[in-house]
Amino acid sequence: MLTCPSEPAALPCPCCLTEQRQGLDGWHHICPNCAYESAQFSNAINLAHASLSESRRADGLRALRESNFRELLRLLNPHLTDRHQRLLEVGCGHGWFLQLAAQRFAVVGIEPDEQIFQLARAKGLPVVAGYFPAALRPEERFDVMVFNDVLEHIPDPQATLLACHAALSPGGLLVLNLPTSKGLFYVLAKVGRRLGLDAAFERLWQKGFPSPHLHYFDRSNLARLLQGCGFLVCANGSLPSIRLQGLYNRIAYASPGKPVQHGLLWLALLLCYPLVKWLPSDAMLVLAVRQDAPPKA
Ligand SMILES: [Zn+2]
């Protein structure tokens, strides 16, 4: 069979190993069996801050993230026992979740972005610079591991979940907070892309961002991936994907200097907001417990 040499080869689906097919763009692929989606983007973390305003990004996200983190801790709480003491957050950013979680756990964070790591350390938070799992000592073990909007940025999610299985203690809990392909905005963005409107689809994948999204899962294919890596899903939740407080800064930070377009988008979201709350959220929360049996993968 002849193939075009300029077209990047699609990797097998990490959830079910089926060969992925071309999606809605040259960089986008979809698994025909389980609907997992992937993007072939490169990562330029640590080269980011010349073009993006980190303080504006932080302002835009903080209110949404902090209320989501409280919801995450509420979902986690019924599954905790006295032995769940040490918590690791992978990609802890500014440390907002660590600050909340420190009221219950002995916390540690890992952060690969040097500038943000320095900001978190300056606040006195127990943060390690680098990538998971390389930034940990091989003998370190945790009882709870949390990924807040991180797994979708990591090139090999299967290897990462296997490393989580190795770094968690028996009965350890894994919390994944990430975008879902079944969310309202993502479904609408795909409809837009089919109609020739690229902007929302590319924005949700964070195309051109320093650390773009590389995966879109749904609950079903993510549960399958988790099972193959030695985890059993024990609770599911959803989080609001937009919040009015900080919304303008969140819209504006990636492309400064377009106040009219940003204002119109902000107004459209403001008008839709009462309806959006009742439709499928773009942010899913999955809690999985580590199984004692070794992973199949
Ligand atoms: Zn698949």
Side-chain angles (χ1 to χ4, degrees):
M1 191 175 76
L2 290 174
T3 55
C4 171
S6 62
E7 224 173 66
L11 295 168
C13 168
C15 307
C16 71
L17 305 181
T18 304
E19 189 175 334
Q20 293 182 74
R21 290 187 185 155
Q22 186 71 53
L24 299 178
D25 214 319
W27 48 265
H28 178 238
H29 292 91
I30 302 180
C31 172
N33 183 46
C34 74
Y36 159 82
E37 300 182 32
S38 66
Q40 289 182 311
F41 295 140
S42 57
N43 184 322
I45 206 165
N46 285 324
L47 301 175
H49 304 293
S51 58
L52 295 185
S53 162
E54 177 53 29
S55 64
R56 176 162 259 196
R57 192 189 81 92
D59 287 347
L61 282 174
R62 183 164 191 162
L64 176 68
R65 290 274 169 92
E66 287 192 342
S67 88
N68 284 357
F69 293 156
R70 288 194 185 88
E71 185 60 35
L72 186 159
L73 290 168
R74 273 194 290 275
L75 183 86
L76 179 61
N77 198 41
H79 300 272
L80 296 175
T81 65
D82 288 345
R83 70 177 177 173
H84 294 110
Q85 295 296 330
R86 294 201 77 209
L87 180 146
L88 174 72
E89 187 187 16
V90 177
C92 64
H94 293 261
W96 301 329
F97 177 74
L98 289 182
Q99 287 174 311
L100 283 177
Q103 296 167 16
R104 164 63 176 79
F105 301 97
V107 298
V108 177
I110 296 179
E111 175 52 45
D113 186 304
E114 181 64 26
Q115 180 181 325
I116 296 176
F117 161 74
Q118 293 294 350
L119 291 170
R121 277 297 282 265
K123 289 191 263 185
L125 293 168
V127 181
V128 180
Y131 287 90
F132 173 79
L136 294 177
R137 294 191 305 277
E139 71 278 12
E140 280 187 283
R141 292 292 176 272
F142 298 89
D143 307 308
V144 181
M145 292 180 65
V146 180
F147 290 69
N148 280 310
D149 292 307
V150 166
L151 190 69
E152 69 274 22
H153 297 272
I154 295 178
D156 188 341
Q158 185 185 42
T160 301
L161 295 177
L162 289 170
C164 291
H165 190 277
L168 274 168
S169 57
L173 294 165
L174 177 65
V175 185
L176 303 176
N177 166 11
L178 73 171
T180 167
S181 59
K182 297 289 195 284
L184 170 69
F185 288 111
Y186 188 67
V187 170
L188 290 176
K190 287 210 310 190
V191 171
R193 178 62 187 81
R194 288 192 175 95
L195 296 172
L197 303 169
D198 295 349
F201 186 63
E202 293 185 352
R203 175 64 180 80
L204 288 182
W205 278 99
Q206 301 189 351
K207 185 186 177 194
F209 280 37
S211 178
H213 290 173
L214 304 177
H215 321 279
Y216 257 93
F217 298 96
D218 61 24
R219 292 193 191 285
S220 173
N221 55 36
L222 183 58
R224 188 168 180 165
L225 177 63
L226 282 163
Q227 190 176 19
C229 295
F231 290 94
L232 186 67
V233 173
C234 58
N236 279 293
S238 289
L239 297 169
S241 46
I242 65 167
R243 187 181 163 92
L244 295 183
Q245 189 183 350
L247 181 60
Y248 184 83
N249 276 346
R250 195 175 167 204
I251 293 169
Y253 91 93
S255 54
K258 297 180 181 171
V260 175
Q261 291 96 318
H262 296 154
L264 287 172
L265 180 55
W266 177 83
L267 188 62
L269 290 170
L270 184 71
L271 293 172
C272 295
Y273 187 68
L275 183 63
V276 165
K277 287 196 292 186
W278 299 101
L279 293 170
S281 172
D282 284 64
M284 66 175 170
L285 197 52
V286 175
L287 177 60
V289 60
R290 180 189 184 275
Q291 304 295 284
D292 290 337
K296 292 178 224 157

